[in-house]
Amino acid sequence: MDSASIISKLVELNALSSALDIPESERTSMLQTMSYYANHFINELPYIKGYNNAQEKGLEIKSQTRSLDQLLNLYQKEVAETGINAASGKHLGYIPGGGVFTAALADFLAAVTNPYAGVYYASPGAARIENEVVNWLKSVFSFPDSAVGSLNSGGSISNLIAFTAARDKHQVKNENIRKSVVYLSEQVHHSTQKALRIIGLEDAIIRYIPIDQHHRIIADTLDNLIETDINDGLIPFLVIASAGTTDTGAIDPLDDIASITHKHNLWFHVDAAYGGFFIMTSAKSRFKGIEKADSLIVDPHKGLFLPYGVGAVLIKDSQSVLYSNYYTANYMQDGVNEEMLKSPANLSPELTKHFRGLRVWLPLQIHGIAPFIACLEEKLLLTRYFRLQLSESGFSLGPEPDLSVSYFWYPFDSDANRKNRQLMEEIHQDGSVFLSSSIIDDRFVIRIAILAFRTKKETIDEAVAMIKRCLGKVLSVNE
Ligand SMILES: *Cc1c(COP(=O)(O)O)cnc(C)c1O
C-alpha cells in the first residue's frame, strides 16, 4: 500500500469509526434522555414493588443498531422491573444498600475522563483519591497510618486479598498446608470459605469455633482450641471474626479475640463488610477491639449505600501485601520509580481498574459524613421498631440483634419449618417488599436486613402489613 491508498482507506474508515465520538448536540440530547429516565426511575420507586418474580427476555446483542430511547424502554422492562429492586427502600433481603445518586455522577465522571487509577504516575490525582479513601477508612477504624489498603469490587475479593496476605506472612506453603489451621464460626459469610479455596488453602484445617445464643464466637473456646492444636503439633495461623454477620447481624467479641490472637501470634482478620460503618453510630462500643485486627474488610456498597462494586480491605502489614501483589514487567518500567505504596496496582491483584475511589470520595465531599451516620442510626432504630411490631403480632424473634439484621418465624403448632417456608413463598409472591430466608439452628427463619438508605418507617409499616397478610393466607390453606 502506498501513502495515497492508505490515506484514502483512512478517510473511508473514519467515516465509520468516528461514530464512537458523538457530537455535542447528540451528547446533550442523550444526557437529557438519561436524566429524564433516572429521575423518572427514582420518582417511581415508592410506588413499585420491592420484588418482581419475572424472567427477562430480548436482551441479546443484535446486529441492527437501536436508539438510546429504545434501549431504555427495554432496560426498564427487562432489567429494572425483574427480580429484586435493589435501588428501592423495599429491598430488605440479603444485604441491601441502595445506590446514592451522587455516586452515579462520580461513575459518570470517572468513565468520561477515564483516568488510570492503578498506577500513581499514570494519574497522580486518581491514585491519590483511591489512597485518600483508604486513608479515610483507616481513620474510621483507628488503623495506623502505616496500614495499607485497596478498593475492590466488594467484600469477597477484599477477603481474598487479606487472607492471601495472612498466608504469605505466615509462610503457609505446600509442605505445611495440611497442618495449618484457620479458625472461624459457622456464621461467617460464604465468601470466606470460597476465598480460602481459591488461594490454595482448601486442604488447610478449618476449625469452627462454637458460638453462643447471640451467634457470637465464644472466645474462651477459641483459646482452648488453639492451645490443643499447638500441643498436637499443628500450625494455627489465622482467626476470622465477623463484625456484623450476614444472617444475624452479630458482632463477635473482637477485643477478646484480639488478645487471644496476639498471645499466640496469629493473624486476626475481621469481616466487617456489612457491619463496619455502624462503628460511626451509637453502636460504636460493640466494635471495641476492631482496631487491633491485622486486616479488616468493609463494603461501602453496603453501609455507605453506594452502588454495587466497591468494597475495601485494610491491612497493617504492608510487606505481606506487597509480597503477594507487587510484580513488575519491562513494559512497566516507567512506573516503578514511583513510591510503590502510592500505586493501587501494587496492593491488589488488579492492574487496570475502575476508578472506584471517586464514587466514595465525591459523595462524602458533597454530603459530608453526617447524613450517612444519621441514615445508619435510622436503620438501627427501624430494626427495633420492626421487631416490636412483629412481636405484638404473635411472631417469634431471634435474639436482640447487634445491628440491623434480624430474623423471625411464626410459631405454628405443627410443621413449623414447612409452614414458614410457605410464608416465605407467599411473601415473594406478594413482592411489596423483599425479604430473604435462612436456616438457623435447624429452624427455617425469615430474615430482615434493614440497610437501604431509602428504607423509612413507612417501608417497615408496609413490610409488617404484608407479612400479616401473607400469614393469613398460610393459616387459611393449612386449616
Ligand atoms: C456481603 C458480605 C460479604 C461479601 O461481600 P461482596 O461485596 O458481596 O463480595 C462478605 N462478608 C460479609 C459479612 C458480607 O455481608
Side-chain angles (χ1 to χ4, degrees):
M1 252 187 173
D2 59 9
S3 289
S5 44
I6 290 179
I7 290 168
S8 85
K9 185 72 183 163
L10 283 173
V11 170
E12 197 185 305
L13 287 172
N14 181 53
L16 257 185
S17 68
S18 47
L20 295 181
D21 210 3
I22 57 181
E24 182 175 348
S25 61
E26 255 181 75
R27 291 200 297 272
T28 307
S29 120
M30 282 188 174
L31 284 172
Q32 273 165 357
T33 304
M34 194 54 98
S35 153
Y36 176 83
Y37 176 83
N39 277 328
H40 185 72
F41 176 85
I42 293 170
N43 293 342
E44 287 297 307
L45 282 174
Y47 312 109
I48 56 179
K49 287 181 169 190
Y51 179 63
N52 191 349
N53 190 353
Q55 303 286 312
E56 47 65 40
K57 59 178 187 303
L59 292 167
E60 61 279 1
I61 298 174
K62 297 191 172 163
S63 50
Q64 77 268 36
T65 62
R66 292 186 267 188
S67 71
L68 180 59
D69 266 319
Q70 287 171 322
L71 290 165
L72 286 178
N73 282 333
L74 180 70
Y75 183 91
Q76 176 61 26
K77 216 167 148 287
E78 306 299 335
V79 181
E81 291 175 10
T82 58
I84 304 167
N85 190 335
S88 160
K90 298 173 190 175
H91 180 14
L92 303 168
Y94 306 109
I95 305 278
V100 299
F101 187 72
T102 46
L105 295 180
D107 273 2
F108 178 74
L109 183 59
V112 169
T113 56
N114 201 26
Y116 196 91
V119 175
Y120 184 81
Y121 112 96
S123 178
R128 180 60 210 269
I129 283 182
E130 296 282 303
N131 292 330
E132 193 51 33
V133 171
V134 169
N135 288 339
W136 177 73
L137 290 170
K138 287 194 253 178
S139 72
V140 169
F141 294 99
S142 305
F143 264 45
D145 286 345
S146 56
V148 295
S150 57
L151 302 179
N152 310 297
S153 62
S156 303
I157 301 300
S158 300
N159 266 337
L160 185 145
I161 293 169
F163 302 160
T164 307
R167 179 197 70 187
D168 294 344
K169 164 89 175 180
H170 285 265
Q171 308 248 318
V172 180
K173 305 208 187 235
N174 280 351
E175 57 270 22
N176 56 12
I177 281 184
R178 283 171 196 279
K179 286 184 155 190
S180 300
V181 195
V182 179
Y183 303 82
L184 40 79
S185 92
E186 64 177 32
Q187 287 295 327
V188 292
H189 190 269
H190 71 277
S191 60
T192 301
Q193 288 93 338
K194 180 171 157 181
L196 289 171
R197 190 187 296 167
I198 294 173
I199 65 169
L201 297 181
E202 184 178 12
D203 293 331
I205 300 166
I206 295 192
R207 290 252 186 275
Y208 285 88
I209 316 160
I211 51 179
D212 64 16
Q213 73 276 20
H214 288 273
H215 310 290
R216 303 180 191 129
I217 284 175
I218 304 170
D220 289 343
T221 349
L222 171 63
D223 200 14
N224 295 337
L225 284 174
I226 297 171
E227 301 264 2
T228 310
D229 284 340
I230 293 173
N231 291 337
D232 289 347
L234 300 176
I235 315 166
F237 77 100
L238 170 63
V239 177
I240 299 167
S242 307
T245 55
T246 313
D247 257 358
T248 62
I251 303 180
D252 289 324
L254 304 176
D255 211 36
D256 296 341
I257 297 173
S259 312
I260 297 167
T261 51
H262 185 73
K263 179 170 101 183
H264 296 289
N265 189 28
L266 310 188
W267 185 288
F268 175 32
H269 175 77
V270 177
D271 181 343
Y274 148 64
F277 288 112
F278 283 103
I279 198 173
M280 300 188 292
T281 70
S282 54
K284 182 179 171 65
S285 63
R286 301 193 180 146
F287 291 84
K288 190 165 177 285
I290 200 169
E291 70 288 350
K292 295 177 185 162
D294 293 290
S295 57
L296 107 84
I297 69 158
V298 64
D299 267 354
H301 67 200
K302 291 177 179 163
L304 286 185
F305 326 111
L306 302 181
Y308 294 133
V310 59
V313 62
L314 301 178
I315 300 176
K316 284 188 183 151
D317 187 310
S318 59
Q319 288 311 309
S320 60
V321 182
L322 284 172
Y323 180 84
S324 331
N325 296 291
Y326 177 69
Y327 268 84
T328 190
N330 292 343
Y331 50 80
M332 294 294 293
Q333 67 179 359
D334 299 330
V336 298
N337 300 328
E338 296 297 332
E339 278 178 68
M340 290 188 290
L341 296 178
K342 277 188 178 173
S343 290
N346 294 333
L347 303 171
S348 91
E350 290 184 293
L351 176 54
T352 305
K353 64 188 236 130
H354 176 57
F355 178 20
R356 299 183 185 100
L358 194 61
R359 58 187 359 237
V360 187
W361 186 88
L362 196 87
L364 283 178
Q365 309 259 5
I366 290 180
H367 304 291
I369 191 61
F372 289 94
I373 299 176
C375 215
L376 289 164
E377 207 74 74
E378 182 180 61
K379 305 313 157 204
L380 293 173
L381 265 184
L382 287 175
T383 309
R384 289 165 69 175
Y385 176 72
F386 174 79
R387 286 171 57 91
L388 285 173
Q389 302 298 307
L390 268 204
S391 92
E392 282 168 16
S393 309
F395 283 85
S396 298
L397 295 165
E400 196 63 47
D402 286 328
L403 300 171
S404 71
V405 176
S406 180
Y407 62 89
F408 62 91
W409 67 95
Y410 193 77
F412 295 100
D413 288 336
S414 63
D415 238 359
N417 279 1
R418 183 178 61 81
K419 291 176 190 167
N420 276 293
R421 194 184 291 273
Q422 267 178 10
L423 177 58
M424 182 80 266
E425 282 160 15
E426 287 294 343
I427 288 171
H428 283 164
Q429 204 60 44
D430 184 291
S432 310
V433 309
F434 180 77
L435 300 174
S436 59
S437 66
S438 191
I439 306 281
I440 294 174
D441 300 333
D442 295 326
R443 179 181 275 135
F444 185 94
V445 299
I446 301 177
R447 274 175 81 247
I448 184 162
I450 304 179
L451 197 66
F453 74 109
R454 293 189 171 108
T455 303
K456 299 287 167 181
K457 175 183 168 292
E458 293 68 31
T459 331
I460 300 304
D461 289 338
E462 197 177 341
V464 172
M466 177 198 68
I467 293 166
K468 288 195 206 165
R469 189 163 67 232
C470 293
L471 174 66
K473 287 190 183 167
V474 175
L475 287 172
S476 72
V477 296
N478 282 294
E479 250 164 30

